[in-house]
Amino acid sequence: MESKFIAQAYSGDSSIWKYVLGIVLVTLGALVFSLPYNLIIANKVYQGVADAAKVEDLNYLYTLMDSNSSLFYMMLPFVGGLITLFLVVKKIHKQTLTSLTTSRVKIDYKRVFFSFFFWASMVLILFFVGYLINPQEIVWNFNAKNFAILFLLSIVLIPIQTSLEEYVFRGYLMQALGVSSKTKWFPLLVTSVIFGLLHYANPEVKELGYGIMVFYIGTGLLLGVMTLMDDGMELSLGFHAANNLITALLVTADWTAFQTAAIFKDISSPSLMMELVAMAVLYPFLIFVLSKKYKWSHWKEKLI
């Protein structure tokens, strides 16, 4: 059984060399939009405000400007990458955004919103259960002015960030590897591993150890399974946006990739507990709910 979603690549020019070119161009697009942030940091180094030996440390960079400014500049590369990707798909592959997103006639936004609100609910429940168990480890961090700015930045930029990651891994690369290998398990596995490895530079890896990589790769597998079983990216788009948006607005910590003016601050010692609970309990529950709601079948054929 051929994957309807992967087969969407054939609606345009699926030449492998064009996919390689596309990834190079998307990377360049992201790099161009990262220039403002890099120039600001370079200027601080030049003025002696910043230590050049430490600028590779994300936690250190957060000390050089306020969290909202940091979030804005850190999100800009994703804006450049997403714009470039859409241009690559349209101009080089002659493919529509719809066919990159789904095998359906049009993008099913009801699926996006269902996935978003369902997973947002799960994140909120997990957070408040943790708060009830260890209330002393969560402190009030709310500042009305800073949070208002954070909220406006987040609702615009974080969905762009998560959409770029989904369109690259669950869309562009999934289809590219699928048509080149004529398999489904290969793009599922490879995109999940690459997705996980690209989080290697996150501060969480330093604080939590390499075990967190299992969570990142596992999340990639979850999103890949959702995409292949549902023959579209709508569910993964909603999930990823909810996960990052709610986290950025709800709780921050001094050792995470997103250090924001969130409502709460986690002052506990870094722990993998939340990630383990998500993988062991919430991920299977999410797959169960989605499979029932959307009547998924032929698991072996669609995934292997």
Side-chain angles (χ1 to χ4, degrees):
M1 178 185 295
E2 186 174 36
S3 168
K4 293 180 181 179
F5 176 69
I6 290 177
Q8 294 302 300
Y10 295 118
S11 66
D13 188 339
S14 57
S15 302
I16 299 304
W17 72 268
K18 289 191 174 183
Y19 282 109
V20 175
L21 174 62
I23 290 298
V24 171
L25 291 175
V26 170
T27 302
L28 289 175
L31 289 174
V32 168
F33 274 66
S34 71
L35 285 176
Y37 189 64
N38 291 330
L39 289 173
I40 289 173
I41 299 302
N43 186 53
K44 289 182 178 292
V45 171
Y46 176 76
Q47 294 177 340
V49 178
D51 185 346
K54 296 181 180 179
V55 295
E56 296 298 324
D57 184 345
L58 186 58
N59 284 328
Y60 176 71
L61 291 176
Y62 276 116
T63 67
L64 301 179
M65 63 179 71
D66 67 90
S67 62
N68 285 328
S69 296
S70 293
L71 179 67
F72 173 76
Y73 286 113
M74 288 173 63
M75 292 294 104
L76 281 183
F78 295 95
V79 176
L82 191 62
I83 292 172
T84 306
L85 178 63
F86 288 168
L87 289 174
V88 164
V89 169
K90 182 178 180 180
K91 301 298 184 181
I92 295 179
H93 293 280
K94 309 299 182 183
Q95 186 180 358
T96 65
L97 177 60
T98 299
S99 65
L100 181 66
T101 308
T102 185
S103 62
R104 285 167 272 277
V105 176
K106 59 182 180 179
I107 299 173
D108 187 346
Y109 289 102
K110 289 183 179 179
R111 275 175 154 82
V112 177
F113 291 124
F114 176 82
S115 180
F116 179 94
F117 287 111
F118 184 85
W119 187 247
S121 300
M122 293 297 98
V123 173
L124 289 170
I125 290 171
L126 184 63
F127 170 78
F128 284 111
V129 168
Y131 179 75
L132 291 174
I133 294 173
N134 294 301
Q136 71 280 1
E137 296 182 344
I138 305 293
V139 298
W140 188 250
N141 190 59
F142 182 74
N143 177 287
K145 179 181 177 181
N146 291 340
F147 183 80
I149 297 172
L150 170 66
F151 181 81
L152 293 174
L153 289 174
S154 297
I155 60 174
V156 174
L157 295 175
I158 289 181
I160 291 175
Q161 176 242 328
T162 57
S163 293
L164 175 63
E165 293 186 8
E166 288 310 301
Y167 272 109
V168 167
F169 290 101
R170 260 60 66 179
Y172 197 67
L173 286 179
M174 184 77 79
Q175 291 184 354
L177 294 172
V179 298
S180 62
S181 68
K182 309 298 182 184
T183 67
K184 285 154 277 189
W185 66 267
F186 183 74
L188 173 61
L189 181 62
V190 172
T191 57
S192 301
V193 171
I194 297 175
F195 176 77
L197 292 177
L198 285 181
H199 290 79
Y200 178 78
N202 283 15
E204 290 91 335
V205 177
K206 180 180 179 181
E207 297 295 332
L208 300 175
Y210 295 116
I212 189 68
M213 298 304 296
V214 176
F215 171 73
Y216 289 137
I217 294 172
T219 301
L221 280 170
L222 170 77
L223 294 167
V225 168
M226 289 162 57
T227 298
L228 290 177
M229 289 305 304
D230 202 52
D231 285 318
M233 287 173 48
E234 292 98 333
L235 297 177
S236 69
L237 284 168
F239 171 98
H240 204 158
N243 189 75
N244 288 25
L245 183 60
I246 299 302
T247 301
L249 295 175
L250 184 63
V251 61
T252 188
D254 290 335
W255 47 270
T256 59
F258 272 170
Q259 295 181 26
T260 64
I263 298 173
F264 298 97
K265 184 172 184 177
D266 184 347
I267 59 172
S268 65
S269 299
S271 170
L272 271 172
M273 182 56 65
M274 289 296 187
E275 287 77 9
L276 293 176
V277 170
M279 285 193 67
V281 180
L282 297 186
Y283 283 9
F285 179 62
L286 174 64
I287 289 293
F288 173 77
V289 170
L290 294 178
S291 67
K292 294 300 181 182
K293 179 174 177 60
Y294 297 111
K295 297 179 174 59
W296 292 348
S297 60
H298 302 94
W299 289 75
K300 182 178 179 181
E301 291 84 355
K302 285 191 173 183
L303 299 180
I304 302 176

